[in-house]
Structures are given as C-alpha cells and as structure tokens.
Amino acid sequence: MKFEEAVARVRTLTDLRRIAGAHVVDHRQLSDEELRAAVVKVKPQYLHPETVECVLERVLYNDQSKDVRVVSRIIIVDILLDQYDFSMPFDRTEEDVIAFEQSVINASNETDLADLAGGDAASRRCRDVEMYNFVLSVAWEHHESVSPDEANLLRNLRRRLRINDWDHRILEAKLGKYPKPENASHTRADVADIRKRLQADGLLFAVRDDDNTDIDVIPVELAHVMRKILGLRIRTEAYKELLKYRRLRRKAHLIEVLERQQVPFGRYDTVDQLVQRVIWDVPVDKAIASASPRYGLNSEELSNWCRDLSLSPTGSIDDKTTRIIEHFDQLRPRLETEADEREFWYQFYEDLAWRRYDGLRSQHVIEKDLEIESKFEDATSFLFANKLNHPPLRQGGSNRPDGLLSLRSEYMMWDNKSKESPVNLQDHILQFDAYMEQADKRVPVFLVIGPAFTEDSETVAIRYHAEHFDRNIVLITADELKALAEEWNSSRNRQREEPFPLGLLAASGRYDRRRIGKLY
C-alpha cells in the first residue's frame, strides 16, 4: 500500500493523531481532513533515511523496555517486512508474534550449544558460542531485564563472534529469559500496546480495508527504506524459492557458500539443513555467486538463468545477480497446501485408543494391528500441533515419552496407551517416572492418554504427586482430550490461533473438564 493510500485509510482519528505526532507540528489542532493532508505533505520526513534509522535504532536496541525491543523486532523485521505487501490484519499480527515467540522456545528445547556450532563441540565456533552464552547469562544475572547498554554490548559481541539474532534468541530462551523471564510469552494486549508505540514513532500505520478489517501496514515507500537500513534484500519465502534453483541446491555449492562465509555446519547435514543455514546466515547475493573471491555460478550460468526468468542476460556478475534477486523478491507468495495424513487418523482417535481393529481396518486406517500404536501417537501429535497450537519437540534416543512440549521454561510430557481395556497406571508408573527423572528440565505435567482408566489409577497418580510435589500425572481419555482440542479450536473461540494454556492441565489424577472453567 502506497503512503498516500495508507494515510487515506487510517482507521480512526485517534490513530491518525498518533501517527501524525511523529512529524506533524500542532497535529492536535487540525481536523481529520487537515490532518491527513498534513501527513501527506510531510511524507519526506517519514521516509528520511537518517530519521528512520534513528527511530529503528531506538525501538530495536535502545528502548528502556526490553518488551518493546523484543516485540518491535518481531512485528517489524520478522513479520511485516517479510510480507509481500508489508501488511497483515491486527489479529494475525498478534497471533504471529505469539507463535514466533513459541517457536523460539521450542527450538531452544531442541538445541544444544554444540548444535549452534554445526555439531562440533571441539571447534572454535563452539567456544565462541559458549563465550557469548556466558556473557549473556552475566547480563541477565540478578536482573529481570537486560538494559539498553547491555543489549548494545551484546549486539557488538554478536558481530565480533558472528552470532546471528536467531542464535541469540535461542540462547536467551535456554536461559529462561526469552521472550520474557520464565519463557512467558507476550499477550495480545502487549502487542497492541507496542503497535501504538510504533505508530507514534511513524513506523507503522493502522488502516481499515473495504471489509472493515483492521490492518497493520508499513507503506511501501517506508518499507523499502527500512529494508535497506536493516540489510533485508529479500523476503524469507522468496529466498527459499530462489534456493530451489537446481544449480544452487547442489550440496557442493551450499557447502562452498557456507565455508566462504565462515558459517558452521554439520558434516552430516542434509541439503534442507544446509539451505536453512544459508537463509539464516548468508546474504542472498553471496548465496548465488561472487566475483572476488570467485565462487558460485559463473557469468554464463547466471546469463542462462536470467534467460529462463525472462530477464536481461547482459552485464556483470553483480548486475545479473541483482536482477535475479529482485525478480524473486517481487514474486507473489504461492499458496501450497499439503495433505496431512495424521488428520485422517485423528478422525478415528477414540477407535485407535480402544484398539477397535475391525472398524479401523474397514475404514482403511490400518492394514496391520501393529500400526495402531504409532498412528495413535501421530494423531496425538497432530492434535497438539494443529488444534492446541503446541508443535511437539524433537526428541533423541529411544527411551523417551511419546511426546514432549514446551511449558514456558519447563516441559510437559505425554504418553499414549492404546488398549482394549482400561489402563492401569500402576503398570506404567516406573516407566513415566524414569522419563521425568532423565529430563533436563522440570516436568510439572505428565499426560497419560488412554481409552479409560482403572478405578485405582487416580489413587496411584495422587500418591505419586504426594512424593513428587512438582509433578502431576494427569489421566485423560482420548475422547476427553479430543473434546478439549475441538473446544479450543472452535470458531467461537477468538483465542483459537493462540497456544492452549497447558498449565490448566496441572492437576494430578483424572482429568475433569470442570476444573478448567470457561475457556472463552
């Protein structure tokens, strides 16, 4: 959306005054029409590179509130500037901020320090990561926040040690400090407050479209200025599309790019893993070719690619590379939907729990009896990821629970027990205890999912809690868990795109929906 159109569509006079306050003198004295005209008149001030850079520096790095720094970066850099049209509905912005924060927490629970060094614990890179992690922990020591001075010190150290922003967030989350202490996520209200702050700084406009939908917008002209300042040459989605080109996707090419840019990677990384490392750490032009030092696609290969894209094949390596990058950045996003077979299994969730062999075979859910256990587990993963918005964490080894979730700075585990008769917790309590004992974080909630439970199972769960005050074994049937998932995912629930608050399940014994209270 162009600047003038965005000004014309600003949704309320209050929003308009807030946005005008960044650069319009005496904005409080003007009428709606006068105010819109005044904002358009001072458009050059909203787009002035030095002014924009100063404001970005303040909100992303120097604001006294770490909440402002964290959420502003997600809204501006990770969400809006990564959109094709630099806009997003209010509700979606809020949902995506919360989802992004949760993705960092989940990744931190799946990542060791050595993983950030390409899996080589003896490398110089791993020592650099350990040093940065130590300085980061000292910055947080005895504090509930990191000051702007400390944040800038860490920023300079990241540059020196080549630690990217994603790695920084992962390390901060591993300390239990991202996005807030105890890995608590920001709320919709938090995002709404910081949205207003960004409007007042002239970085973000609040507009209303023809369908009366409220939308966050960075005007196109302003977005281009911001991207240049932040070094964002291409959207993430477009970068991924560019790297699908067969000559760039060769493993030898990806390894050469990473080595030239001194980015660590694992010896056994797959092509997809190498591509992800390139996207995170390599400027897009350096992922294609370089004239000095020379590597990547040569001039003839670039010319052929340009012809394939109906672009001019003439000029230097840099000229052709720039045309290719701009071509992909201007592509509209592709809508791709992949069928998830787990959704089909989820429809037969209770039948899988009760091991109803005949019905499952007749519906082509299973061909062999042994498939029931794995499909019950996979359907549960689908339930948590797609209905309750908690993607399960990756787990290593074989002696582990069926599922693991991030519960702020702790874990929630679950285990599936499909049987033709009620589950007796006593038969499995030692197994579950071992899972919790070997975890590297507290496990306040352990969910046992079965078809039904024996009468004395609740007593076993309560006695276990009496010996382990910080652990709750919750017995929930498949139909109860599915009903809860469907209730949370209902169109009547305005919070359905947010993660379900797992802490509500922390009550030992049989699950009781009444304990949770009203969800919406």
Side-chain angles (χ1 to χ4, degrees):
M1 189 178 293
K2 293 284 190 178
F3 188 91
E4 289 80 2
E5 183 183 359
V7 173
R9 286 180 173 270
V10 172
R11 56 182 200 148
T12 68
L13 183 58
T14 300
D15 291 322
L16 186 59
R17 291 197 188 285
R18 187 181 298 118
I19 294 165
H23 299 293
V24 177
V25 179
D26 296 330
H27 62 277
R28 295 188 181 280
Q29 311 302 320
L30 303 177
S31 67
D32 184 301
E33 186 176 343
E34 293 170 331
L35 198 52
R36 293 181 196 273
V39 172
V40 171
K41 185 176 181 180
V42 298
K43 172 182 175 181
Q45 292 179 248
Y46 284 87
L47 306 182
H48 192 272
E50 290 184 8
T51 301
V52 175
E53 184 172 13
C54 182
V55 177
L56 284 172
E57 186 76 15
R58 186 172 69 247
V59 299
L60 299 183
Y61 302 107
N62 295 327
D63 198 278
Q64 290 298 319
S65 168
K66 187 171 186 295
D67 290 333
V68 170
R69 302 196 301 265
V70 169
V71 177
S72 293
R73 184 168 192 84
I74 298 174
I75 292 176
I76 293 174
V77 181
D78 299 300
I79 297 179
L80 292 180
L81 290 180
D82 211 33
Q83 299 302 306
Y84 175 76
D85 55 2
F86 313 118
S87 69
M88 184 170 284
F90 275 20
D91 286 350
R92 175 79 181 280
T93 301
E94 293 159 7
E95 291 162 6
D96 279 15
V97 168
I98 295 168
F100 183 91
E101 293 180 342
Q102 187 62 46
S103 73
V104 174
I105 296 168
N106 289 347
S108 75
N109 284 325
E110 298 173 337
T111 306
D112 295 326
L113 294 189
D115 294 330
L116 301 182
D120 187 354
S123 67
R124 168 66 183 274
R125 170 67 177 180
C126 194
R127 291 195 296 273
D128 288 345
V129 171
E130 289 172 347
M131 176 187 292
Y132 183 79
N133 189 55
F134 171 74
V135 176
L136 181 63
S137 65
V138 171
W140 273 103
E141 199 171 19
H142 309 307
H143 294 80
E144 285 303 308
S145 183
V146 168
S147 71
D149 288 342
E150 291 168 328
N152 278 298
L153 172 65
L154 290 165
R155 180 184 174 194
N156 288 325
L157 186 58
R158 286 200 296 278
R159 288 173 179 162
R160 180 66 178 269
L161 300 179
R162 298 176 64 87
I163 305 287
N164 63 35
D165 286 324
W166 177 257
D167 291 348
H168 164 77
R169 288 158 160 166
I170 293 293
L171 292 170
E172 205 163 46
K174 289 183 76 66
L175 293 173
K177 303 296 185 181
Y178 185 92
K180 297 197 288 188
E182 301 299 319
N183 293 142
S185 294
H186 289 95
T187 65
R188 285 178 178 268
D190 294 330
V191 178
D193 287 342
I194 293 168
R195 169 188 288 125
K196 293 175 183 176
R197 165 64 189 275
L198 295 174
Q199 292 168 7
D201 286 323
L203 300 178
L204 183 63
F205 285 34
V207 308
R208 185 165 287 163
D209 69 7
D210 295 334
D211 297 325
N212 284 324
T213 300
D214 294 331
I215 300 176
D216 289 312
V217 170
I218 300 177
V220 171
E221 304 93 322
L222 177 56
H224 289 159
V225 173
M226 294 166 71
R227 288 181 70 181
K228 186 173 182 179
I229 291 168
L230 296 167
L232 305 173
R233 290 194 64 182
I234 191 168
R235 294 173 290 110
T236 303
E237 182 179 37
Y239 199 171
K240 290 178 180 178
E241 192 67 25
L242 180 148
L243 288 175
K244 290 180 181 178
Y245 184 58
R246 63 186 183 281
R247 294 188 178 275
L248 297 189
R249 201 169 174 80
R250 292 177 303 184
K251 194 166 187 177
H253 171 81
L254 294 169
I255 288 174
E256 183 179 27
V257 166
L258 292 169
E259 288 177 340
R260 291 284 187 176
Q261 296 299 309
Q262 299 178 22
V263 176
F265 60 91
R267 286 191 304 165
Y268 304 108
D269 280 357
T270 64
V271 167
D272 287 339
Q273 289 171 322
L274 294 172
V275 164
Q276 187 58 64
R277 292 184 188 276
V278 169
I279 290 171
W280 278 339
D281 285 296
V282 178
V284 61
D285 57 320
K286 299 301 182 185
I288 299 173
S290 174
S292 179
R294 182 172 295 280
Y295 69 87
L297 304 191
N298 60 38
S299 184
E300 183 180 354
E301 289 173 321
L302 287 170
S303 293
N304 290 335
W305 193 6
C306 284
R307 292 188 187 96
D308 292 342
L309 299 173
S310 300
L311 303 174
S312 170
T314 62
S316 67
I317 283 179
D318 288 344
D319 292 337
K320 287 178 274 195
T321 298
T322 296
R323 285 191 211 108
I324 290 168
I325 293 169
E326 290 176 350
H327 169 84
F328 279 92
D329 193 49
Q330 292 167 9
L331 290 178
R332 286 186 175 274
R334 295 184 180 182
L335 296 177
E336 296 182 357
T337 57
E338 295 184 5
D340 189 340
E341 59 184 351
R342 298 177 306 168
E343 184 172 9
F344 176 63
W345 303 336
Y346 172 76
Q347 296 176 32
F348 300 89
Y349 198 55
E350 297 96 327
D351 293 331
L352 288 167
W354 278 108
R355 290 181 171 263
R356 291 170 178 152
Y357 300 105
D358 293 341
L360 292 170
R361 283 197 195 90
S362 68
Q363 294 294 327
H364 302 285
V365 179
I366 63 168
E367 293 181 2
K368 300 177 181 179
D369 293 353
L370 291 176
E371 295 175 351
I372 284 182
E373 187 173 347
S374 62
K375 291 186 175 180
F376 187 27
E377 294 170 9
D378 288 343
T380 304
S381 294
F382 173 85
L383 180 154
F384 278 108
N386 296 74
K387 301 293 183 177
L388 299 179
N389 305 314
H390 284 281
L393 304 176
R394 295 191 304 271
Q395 300 183 77
S398 56
N399 186 29
R400 55 183 176 79
D402 292 333
L404 184 69
L405 303 174
S406 296
L407 181 56
R408 289 196 176 183
S409 59
E410 301 168 331
Y411 289 142
M412 184 188 115
M413 292 179 174
W414 87 74
D415 210 78
N416 294 89
K417 293 300 177 187
S418 59
K419 292 180 177 291
E420 296 177 79
S421 58
V423 175
N424 183 358
L425 179 59
Q426 188 63 52
D427 296 339
H428 310 285
I429 192 70
L430 293 179
Q431 173 192 10
F432 300 156
D433 179 70
Y435 293 155
M436 289 183 273
E437 282 293 328
Q438 68 187 15
D440 58 349
K441 294 185 177 183
R442 284 199 326 125
V443 185
V445 181
F446 192 107
L447 217 59
V448 184
I449 307 163
F453 297 92
T454 60
E455 289 186 10
D456 61 343
S457 288
E458 180 162 32
T459 301
V460 174
I462 292 172
R463 287 180 176 174
Y464 181 84
H465 178 66
E467 297 176 1
H468 305 84
F469 295 128
D470 58 347
R471 299 175 184 172
N472 293 278
I473 295 181
V474 184
L475 310 174
I476 187 168
T477 64
D479 63 315
E480 290 169 339
L481 182 56
K482 186 174 182 179
L484 178 64
E486 292 298 320
E487 182 181 3
W488 183 256
N489 195 240
S490 167
S491 59
R492 299 190 303 275
N493 179 16
R494 292 186 177 182
Q495 303 178 68
R496 65 184 179 277
E497 299 296 335
E498 297 179 22
F500 172 80
L502 296 173
L504 292 177
L505 299 173
S508 294
R510 280 286 286 119
Y511 163 81
D512 186 343
R513 173 62 187 83
R514 293 171 299 179
R515 291 176 181 171
I516 295 177
K518 189 175 181 180
L519 291 178
Y520 53 83

